[in-house]
Amino acid sequence: MNKQFVAFLFAAAAAAAAAAAAGVRAEDHSDQLAFRPDTLVLSRSVYEGTASLLVPGVTVLPPGCVAGTVNVPLIAGGTVPVAVTCSTPIADGTFPGVFNNSAADGHFGITSPIFLDNLTADGHLIGTLPIPTNEIVTSFSSKSELAVNRSVDGKSITFMGYRGAPGFPTAVNVFDVSNANSPGVIDPTNAAVGQYYRSVAEVDSRGHLRITEGNAYSGDNGRAAIKGHGLYYTVGNDNSGNLSKKQTTTTIVGEELVRSTGAELLVPGQAPPVPPNINKIGDFEINQVIEPSTGLPYALDKAGKDNNFRGMTIFKDTLYVTKGSGGNGINTVYQVGSAGVLPAGDTAALAALPITILPGFPHTLASGVSSTGAATPVAYPFGIWFANPKTLYVCDEGDGTLVSPPVNGNVADATSLATAGVQKWTLVNGAWQMDYVLQNGLNIGVPYTIANYPADLSPATGGCRNITGHVGQDGIVTLYAVTSTISASGDQGADPNLLVKVTDRLDATTPAKSSGKDSLGHFVTIRAARAGEVFRGVAFAPADDGED
């Protein structure tokens, strides 16, 4: 490690110790499940709401919302008026129709419990660690939440969730928490007036749970966290209030939001950082990129929105993130900071670090339209996993577009059928190239039935989200992925999805010719969610003898 990094670790340790002395909450559930070595951990959630949760046309959404005009302080002095609107539900709390309310309330979501399933390599259940709902919860049906990642030293796994500030309950069946403010970054234009920390939960091999609260991602969600060399690296998005593009750079709260999104660093056990000390790592803006069709830099987007990251990994002490959703920015794979050096330092040093697109990965806009109005391709990368320094597997979740009526029984569009699934990329002469897409057996676009679930909402696999894998001594790569869906439901994030497994030859540059269920390149489903249940992340179980 370099001297700066060592010095930062000492400072971080001191901060954590001070926070612990000040009473920062961390829980030790030593009587819980111990994970078995060389097994999988699947994160999932279950909807626990009932019809009576919501009264159509009556219940105010988001909770506590007050319609009107707020005056937001400007950096230059004075204020600017911004309108805030509220809504009422169009459906009661019955699953799955409850998520039709997202059409009326753009903030809509309902908190739900978190479960960590310990599984064999073939998906058989060994045991389940239920995470106490008075400690941390997730939001149903936020599909980008609850990724699980094994730490660099292999000794723990981490995920992100929500904990209420004083006066705001940490519990199931609370509305619109995923779009509420964080306690340290209050956006007065946000109709979701709740206050919830975006917190990192760390679980070791014996099921001990430790939670560290953070103030990043106000107004939206924290998606993933990884622990590396004693620090948490996180990704997420913020700014779901009513600030305009101009107001994000001219108001005090807008500036705070721009500085507390994207890739962040959090010290385990520290008190929740507040502005200006929320540690954002770098800042990507699309004007850093030359538009292929014009040869000129792209025009600036709404500040902060180009950092709407959701997937992440650490490989060879390098931090990588993905963007694959939202209409701003570029959906692609990024490197954060320098190769071989995990980000560290004070707030100013972290902010100055570069974020760059990996050579060879897409450079076209997430909007699918160039500055000249021409249609351009859009990628939807989510989870990523390196098999070695020159082989990267990327989960592409597809665009989620439902084709109706189906074409020969298939509801996926041409984009999903062409590129969704597990993409294999290899590094050739300094640039990454996509060799092929693993899709066989994934049955993209083919609806599947679920017991006790409306037949007209039967989902189809749309691609995949989070991913992990390992390379055998024989050069065979085994990959595990959580699927995305395509359906007619009000929110596809609520669809029951699948945990799948596929194998590939590490040295292959063309896909294997699949000849059966257990053959190379053929996906098999090893676990299927039930009605009211969703799978979110997958990782290998932590082990005490993990190596950094």
Side-chain angles (χ1 to χ4, degrees):
M1 299 184 191
N2 61 39
K3 291 181 179 179
Q4 181 189 27
F5 192 85
V6 172
F8 182 72
L9 286 181
F10 277 117
V24 173
R25 294 179 287 177
E27 305 302 322
D28 181 2
H29 298 277
S30 56
D31 59 339
Q32 299 287 0
L33 174 76
F35 295 105
R36 292 188 188 177
D38 303 316
T39 59
L40 298 172
V41 178
L42 172 71
S43 62
R44 63 181 174 90
S45 190
V46 176
Y47 180 70
E48 293 193 349
T50 61
S52 61
L53 274 181
L54 294 156
V55 180
V58 176
T59 307
V60 175
L61 292 174
C65 178
V66 177
T69 300
V70 295
N71 293 310
V72 183
L74 293 163
I75 295 171
T79 61
V80 59
V82 178
V84 176
T85 60
C86 310
S87 62
T88 58
I90 58 176
D92 66 18
T94 304
F95 183 85
V98 60
F99 292 102
N100 291 330
N101 286 312
S102 60
D105 174 14
H107 303 271
F108 193 72
I110 302 177
T111 53
S112 57
I114 298 166
F115 300 95
L116 301 180
D117 289 340
N118 191 198
L119 307 175
T120 68
D122 292 322
H124 298 295
L125 181 65
I126 298 169
T128 297
L129 178 65
I131 303 300
T133 54
N134 63 338
E135 295 297 338
I136 193 165
V137 291
T138 189
S139 178
F140 212 102
S141 58
S142 298
K143 63 184 181 181
S144 60
E145 294 182 8
L146 212 56
V148 284
N149 288 290
R150 187 171 170 171
S151 61
V152 171
D153 65 9
K155 294 182 179 180
S156 64
I157 54 175
T158 47
F159 60 88
M160 294 195 73
Y162 303 95
R163 281 164 67 103
F168 297 91
T170 304
V172 300
N173 293 333
V174 181
F175 305 126
D176 296 352
V177 165
S178 63
N179 284 118
N181 292 315
S182 63
V185 184
I186 303 295
D187 178 1
T189 75
N190 186 359
V193 298
Q195 296 181 29
Y196 284 84
Y197 295 107
R198 277 59 174 170
S199 302
V200 175
E202 180 178 6
V203 180
D204 68 15
S205 64
R206 291 179 173 82
H208 301 157
L209 173 66
R210 181 188 195 186
I211 299 173
T212 301
E213 297 167 339
N215 275 310
Y217 315 126
S218 184
D220 213 316
N221 55 1
R223 280 86 182 260
I226 302 180
K227 189 178 186 182
H229 301 317
L231 302 171
Y232 295 141
Y233 297 92
T234 68
V235 289
N237 186 37
D238 73 4
N239 189 12
S240 291
N242 293 298
L243 293 173
S244 67
K245 178 178 178 179
K246 178 180 178 181
Q247 289 163 350
T248 57
T249 57
T250 58
T251 61
I252 294 172
V253 69
E255 185 178 62
E256 291 177 346
L257 289 164
V258 169
R259 293 178 178 176
S260 57
T261 190
E264 301 275 347
L265 183 147
L266 193 63
V267 178
Q270 75 175 128
V274 295
N277 297 313
I278 295 176
N279 289 320
K280 182 180 180 182
I281 307 170
D283 180 64
F284 180 82
E285 302 293 341
I286 58 173
N287 68 339
Q288 298 171 214
V289 177
I290 300 299
E291 184 173 8
S293 61
T294 66
L296 300 172
Y298 286 113
L300 280 170
D301 265 337
K302 185 176 184 180
K305 284 300 184 181
D306 295 348
N307 297 268
N308 178 15
F309 304 135
R310 56 183 187 173
M312 69 185 312
T313 194
I314 292 173
F315 182 73
K316 299 292 186 182
D317 277 350
T318 306
L319 179 62
Y320 300 91
V321 301
T322 67
K323 180 187 177 299
S325 63
N328 293 305
I330 298 172
N331 288 357
T332 194
V333 180
Y334 300 85
Q335 178 181 305
V336 181
S338 301
V341 182
L342 284 177
D346 60 20
T347 303
L350 290 166
L353 291 176
I355 299 178
T356 54
I357 297 174
L358 293 191
F361 274 85
H363 283 68
T364 52
L365 296 177
S367 64
V369 180
S370 74
S371 62
T372 61
T376 55
V378 181
Y380 301 92
F382 207 116
I384 51 178
W385 179 76
F386 282 88
N388 63 26
K390 293 187 176 182
T391 311
L392 174 59
Y393 290 92
V394 178
C395 256
D396 187 293
E397 74 167 338
D399 60 13
T401 299
L402 177 73
V403 174
S404 183
V407 178
N408 297 321
N410 196 296
V411 298
D413 66 3
T415 298
S416 292
L417 290 171
T419 57
V422 176
Q423 301 174 350
K424 185 176 187 178
W425 292 73
T426 53
L427 186 63
V428 179
N429 297 324
W432 291 92
Q433 63 181 33
M434 188 169 72
D435 293 334
Y436 50 88
V437 185
L438 293 167
Q439 291 183 327
N440 196 306
L442 203 52
N443 299 324
I444 291 175
V446 180
Y448 52 89
T449 58
I450 300 159
N452 303 313
Y453 198 73
D456 60 336
L457 298 182
S458 292
T461 294
C464 61
R465 293 177 184 143
N466 287 301
I467 186 173
T468 193
H470 70 84
V471 182
Q473 293 183 349
D474 57 359
I476 299 299
V477 179
T478 304
L479 302 165
Y480 301 89
V482 171
T483 62
S484 59
T485 59
I486 303 168
S487 75
S489 64
D491 189 330
Q492 293 175 0
D495 292 338
N497 56 339
L498 310 171
L499 175 64
V500 294
K501 175 181 178 180
V502 67
T503 54
D504 185 44
R505 284 206 63 85
L506 179 61
D507 59 2
T509 56
T510 57
K513 293 182 179 179
S514 178
S515 59
K517 177 180 177 182
D518 297 319
S519 60
L520 281 170
H522 185 91
F523 281 92
V524 293
T525 297
I526 61 174
R527 205 153 186 87
R530 298 164 296 180
E533 180 182 51
V534 289
F535 297 162
R536 293 297 185 227
V538 62
F540 281 97
D544 285 340
D545 60 352
E547 295 182 358
D548 200 328

